[in-house]
């Protein structure tokens, strides 16, 4: 499992003072990049495309909080993989708690956008 974290920036909150929904998916993108970097898969990360994401919101993150995103691979297919993300507040103005969970399916493509088989080194690193 890989964890990415960052403080919530003022530009990421809406008029209610909570993180705007779309930013939770941006946090997951950052965690996916960290997961690939940690396992030496940055060249593969450049060819992974999002197929679908399902976000289940639980509680807000606010400006001044620090968000942490855990990323773990839950499924490896022929050309696709699923990553489960847990987003939580670890510190800041509102203390620690889970904020959202996100399940995302990615597909690996060649430069033309055609799905291709996941390489063995990715399977070994994330399996």
């Amino acid at each position: 499992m890989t964890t990415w974290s960052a403080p919530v920036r003022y530009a990421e909150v809406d008029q209610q003072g909570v993180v705007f929904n779309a930013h939770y998916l941006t946090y997951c993108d950052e965690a996916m990049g960290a997961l690939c970097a940690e396992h030496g898969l940055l060249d593969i990360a450049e060819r992974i495309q999002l197929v679908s994401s399902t976000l289940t919101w639980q509680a807000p993150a606010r400006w001044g909080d620090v968000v942490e995103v855990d990323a773990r691979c839950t499924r490896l297919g022929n050309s696709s993989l699923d990553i489960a993300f847990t987003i939580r507040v670890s510190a800041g103005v509102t203390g620690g708690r889970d904020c959202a969970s996100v399940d995302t399916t990615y597909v690996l493509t060649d430069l033309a956008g055609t799905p291709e088989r996941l390489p063995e080194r990715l399977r070994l690193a994330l399996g």
Side-chain angles (χ1 to χ4, degrees):
M1 182 168 44
T2 298
T3 301
W4 172 88
S5 68
V8 173
R9 299 176 303 168
Y10 179 77
E12 295 168 346
V13 300
D14 61 19
Q15 290 179 337
Q16 296 173 322
V18 300
V19 169
F20 181 69
N21 294 332
H23 291 295
Y24 292 105
L25 295 178
T26 300
Y27 300 156
C28 291
D29 279 346
E30 293 288 355
M32 179 60 172
L35 177 72
C36 289
E38 182 176 295
H39 293 286
L41 302 170
L42 286 178
D43 60 315
I44 293 173
E46 294 171 350
R47 297 183 295 125
I48 289 179
Q49 296 181 4
L50 185 136
V51 173
S52 68
S53 277
T54 302
L55 185 146
T56 303
W57 188 86
Q58 297 158 329
R62 300 179 180 279
W63 178 45
D65 286 340
V66 174
V67 292
E68 290 184 350
V69 183
D70 293 333
R72 63 183 172 80
C73 183
T74 57
R75 184 191 66 83
L76 292 168
N78 291 324
S79 62
S80 64
L81 64 149
D82 293 347
I83 304 292
F85 300 96
T86 302
I87 303 170
R88 68 181 171 281
V89 170
S90 63
V93 296
T94 56
R97 71 180 174 298
D98 287 348
C99 294
S101 59
V102 179
D103 295 307
T104 300
T105 299
Y106 298 95
V107 66
L108 179 65
T109 65
D110 61 17
L111 295 178
T114 304
E116 69 177 30
R117 185 162 177 77
L118 297 176
E120 190 60 27
R121 67 186 177 98
L122 181 143
R123 292 176 182 287
L124 290 172
L126 301 182

